[in-house]
Amino acid sequence: MIDWQGYIGLILDGAAVTAELTVMGAALAVVAAFAAGLGRVSRYWPLRALATVYIEFFRGTSIFVQLFWVYFVLPFAGITLQPLQAGVLALGLNVGAYAAEVVRGAILAVPRDQIEACVALNLTRGQRMRNVILPQALPLMLPTFGNNAIELLKGTAVVSLISLKDMTFQAQVVRAQTGSTLIPFATILVLYFLFASLIGWAMRRLERRVTRGLDGVRA
Amino acid sequence: MPAPIIRIDNLRKTFGALTVLDGLSFDVAPGEKLALIGPSGSGKTTILRILMTLESISGGHIEVCGEQLYHMPKGAALVPADEAHLHRMRRHIGMVFQHFNLFPHKSVLDNITLAPMLTKGEPRAKAEARAMELLDMVGLADKARAMPAQLSGGQKQRAAIARALALQPRIMLFDEVTSALDPELVEEVLLVMKRLAAETDMTMLLVTHEMGFAHEFADRVLFFDRGQIVEQGPPDRIFTAPSEPRTQAFLRKIIAAGHRV
Ligand SMILES: Nc1ncnc2c1ncn2[C@@H]1O[C@H](COP(=O)(O)OP(=O)(O)OP(=O)(O)O)[C@@H](O)[C@H]1O
Ligand SMILES: [Mg+2]
């Protein structure tokens, strides 16, 4: 008879690592997305160039390669990261690059007449962005941000490459030790689905909050 | 004769190959109420947008309140204005748009207080007190907490007028402020503007297809065609005895289309 309780405990330890990577990666991704998204619409060309290079690089290479570089190559440049730090950095920057395009698209989707009203009211560029454009762009970003967060969750499984024991890694360990495929993989199936549902629920709540009062204004 | 508050001198504006304004010149006296009329595409909106710095100019000079709008002095020469100069000059000018352009995510009150608080650093209490006075004037005191989406078109436009007034500009630009409204809502907006014209010494430039209103509102009417002033004068003369054939033809067509003169 197999001691399933212990093995499920291993998988739950892995789930904690997955959750940690997802939450911290998402936090970094949001920062990177706004920095690069605003950089893309900046009137200063060096900022635009920098943001474009970042976005194209991280979208144009795989997360697998990025993680490898962050963990195994950066030490040659004198930067050594803990596995968790490396995982958060690679995942956050990767997803942030996709989300940056969402930020940029949402900013550009705010109607031009809103900006003209700001000019007529003599707001500075910074005041326009903070008080008028971003508050209207945010509701447009959130649904795609939710998808990005779920992509991030699913992407966390690559960290086994740098010896982090996330839940996919643990499921494989359990499978190797018990010879059972069904139970460990059914367990992580349910766990991934629960995590994704939680993200979806949180995003819907956030969306309802930021669109309050805007109903009937835009689809 | 006081010095003009606006001086447009040899203004040129092109959009690509299309020349919209070609050597346009006119002055506006402080406090003057000016109506700009003319056929569609004659450049009326473009003139207002240029005064609001929403377009660039292709040539010529504009002076507002004694200073160049699109140029600034550098030594003895005039160079194109930078954003800081434009920002400084915009204090003098406000604009009300055809489609209101209210901020949909802010209440009527917040729409009005936003700019005074940000650009003049007014404390909220002071900005709100002034906003309530303005809402009272435009008959919307009970809508202060409403969101723009909850207002009728006429109410939106009155809120937008209050918002523009909150900065107390010396010059106000109105671009067809009633043409996006249902006919039964036009009157309430015109009423507010008539009161405004009678009660303030603000300089007002009005683009409109409402000839009856232009007649009542304006001290002077400019009739435009293809970016040129074809004829100008007091409304009584322009509307009853226009001397230019093009003005006559335009007014005939407007009357035939059912507009009152
Ligand atoms: N952004 C633009 N790009 C290209 N052409 C433009 C632009 N804005 C205006 N035009 C052109 O400039 C001309 C003058 O336009 P404008 O909007 O000033 O006319 P208007 O007198 O206000 O007409 P209406 O009575 O229809 O509002 C038109 O031929 C118009 O098509
Ligand atoms: Mg127009």
Side-chain angles (χ1 to χ4, degrees):
Chain A
M1 199 48 215
I2 303 169
D3 169 23
W4 279 114
Q5 214 175 336
Y7 286 121
I8 298 292
L10 274 184
I11 291 179
L12 288 179
D13 290 346
V17 173
T18 297
E20 211 172 349
L21 278 167
T22 305
V23 170
M24 298 203 297
L28 176 61
V30 167
V31 173
F34 276 93
L38 288 169
R40 283 278 271 157
V41 297
S42 167
R43 79 203 131 111
Y44 301 110
W45 75 262
L47 286 182
R48 285 200 304 276
L50 200 67
T52 306
V53 167
Y54 157 66
I55 291 168
E56 292 309 321
F57 177 79
F58 275 87
R59 292 200 311 174
T61 59
S62 82
I63 177 67
F64 205 77
V65 177
Q66 290 157 20
L67 188 66
F68 186 87
W69 272 74
V70 166
Y71 191 65
F72 295 108
V73 182
L74 276 190
F76 291 109
I79 304 169
T80 305
L81 297 171
Q82 300 301 313
L84 186 67
Q85 292 172 328
V88 167
L89 188 65
L91 286 163
L93 290 180
N94 180 273
V95 174
Y98 287 91
E101 287 295 87
V102 178
V103 171
R104 170 176 164 268
I107 287 172
L108 295 181
V110 173
R112 168 125 199 100
D113 64 14
Q114 291 290 305
I115 298 161
E116 296 190 343
C118 292
V119 173
L121 292 170
N122 206 10
L123 304 191
T124 63
R125 287 174 204 266
Q127 290 169 339
R128 290 174 213 168
M129 188 56 89
R130 266 196 311 282
N131 297 281
V132 175
I133 299 174
L134 282 180
Q136 292 185 63
L138 201 57
L140 306 177
M141 299 174 201
L142 285 182
T144 320
F145 274 2
N147 291 340
N148 292 150
I150 290 171
E151 286 301 319
L152 172 60
L153 167 69
K154 294 191 280 189
T156 53
V158 300
V159 295
S160 58
L161 172 74
I162 57 171
S163 78
L164 268 178
K165 299 182 172 65
D166 77 304
M167 66 181 169
T168 298
F169 178 85
Q170 297 292 52
Q172 270 156 356
V173 170
V174 173
R175 175 172 178 249
Q177 293 185 6
T178 62
S180 164
T181 304
L182 180 65
I183 292 185
F185 279 87
T187 308
I188 65 166
L189 182 86
V190 170
L191 285 171
Y192 273 118
F193 182 71
L194 281 179
F195 282 3
S197 305
L198 191 67
I199 291 171
W201 173 81
M203 293 309 286
R204 274 192 302 279
R205 276 196 54 145
L206 201 59
E207 234 173 285
R208 231 171 300 141
R209 267 197 61 166
V210 300
T211 53
R212 215 172 3 192
L214 273 175
D215 15 309
V217 177
R218 60 167 51 113
Chain B
M1 239 333 241
I5 191 167
I6 301 174
R7 254 195 180 127
I8 296 180
D9 178 28
N10 206 12
L11 177 65
R12 256 172 52 76
K13 176 64 187 172
T14 58
F15 290 108
L18 177 70
T19 300
V20 178
L21 304 174
D22 194 4
L24 177 69
S25 302
F26 66 92
D27 291 355
V28 184
E32 199 176 10
K33 316 289 184 256
L34 205 64
L36 279 58
I37 64 169
S40 182
S42 56
K44 307 177 299 289
T45 295
T46 304
I47 294 166
L48 295 197
R49 288 176 57 82
I50 286 175
L51 284 169
M52 195 64 257
T53 69
L54 294 170
E55 304 280 354
S56 58
I57 62 173
S58 314
H61 290 85
I62 299 176
E63 196 184 286
V64 170
C65 298
E67 273 186 90
Q68 286 293 315
L69 182 61
Y70 281 94
H71 299 84
M72 52 187 194
K74 190 176 184 185
L78 280 179
V79 298
D82 60 14
E83 179 63 25
H85 179 83
L86 292 176
H87 181 71
R88 229 163 36 72
M89 293 302 290
R90 282 183 200 123
R91 283 176 307 157
H92 301 304
I93 311 167
M95 181 162 180
V96 180
F97 298 88
Q98 187 173 359
H99 296 105
F100 335 124
N101 302 14
L102 291 172
F103 303 132
H105 60 298
K106 291 194 175 291
S107 70
V108 169
L109 189 67
D110 291 343
N111 261 275
I112 299 172
T113 55
L114 181 71
M117 287 169 63
L118 289 176
T119 65
K120 295 183 167 175
E122 278 184 19
R124 177 176 292 279
K126 182 176 172 218
E128 286 190 350
R130 166 107 184 106
M132 287 311 299
E133 273 172 36
L134 288 166
L135 282 173
D136 211 34
M137 192 200 85
V138 300
L140 284 179
D142 56 329
K143 297 289 182 190
R145 302 280 163 198
M147 298 303 281
Q150 298 167 317
L151 302 184
S152 74
Q155 292 171 331
K156 281 183 191 154
Q157 194 57 292
R158 286 184 281 147
I161 291 172
R163 181 175 71 174
L165 290 172
L167 286 169
Q168 300 175 286
R170 295 184 60 194
I171 301 164
M172 276 278 265
L173 312 171
F174 298 91
D175 187 16
E176 298 202 36
V177 293
T178 58
S179 66
L181 301 178
D182 292 336
E184 72 271 19
L185 301 177
V186 168
E187 206 55 43
E188 63 185 55
V189 173
L190 294 186
L191 220 61
V192 163
M193 296 191 44
K194 276 178 210 166
R195 273 240 305 287
L196 202 63
E199 288 172 12
T200 71
D201 55 2
M202 227 182 307
T203 308
M204 298 186 177
L205 274 68
L206 170 83
V207 171
T208 187
H209 285 293
E210 298 271 338
M211 294 306 142
F213 180 61
H215 196 156
E216 246 185 282
F217 172 91
D219 305 322
R220 180 160 57 121
V221 178
L222 302 187
F223 173 69
F224 278 88
D225 196 13
R226 284 176 238 147
Q228 307 274 346
I229 298 172
V230 176
E231 183 168 4
Q232 59 173 308
D236 277 340
R237 191 182 69 67
I238 297 287
F239 288 120
T240 55
S243 53
E244 293 293 324
R246 273 196 278 175
T247 321
Q248 293 162 0
F250 172 75
L251 291 174
R252 259 202 312 278
K253 217 156 76 190
I254 287 263
I255 294 165
H259 286 269
R260 300 157 302 142
V261 173

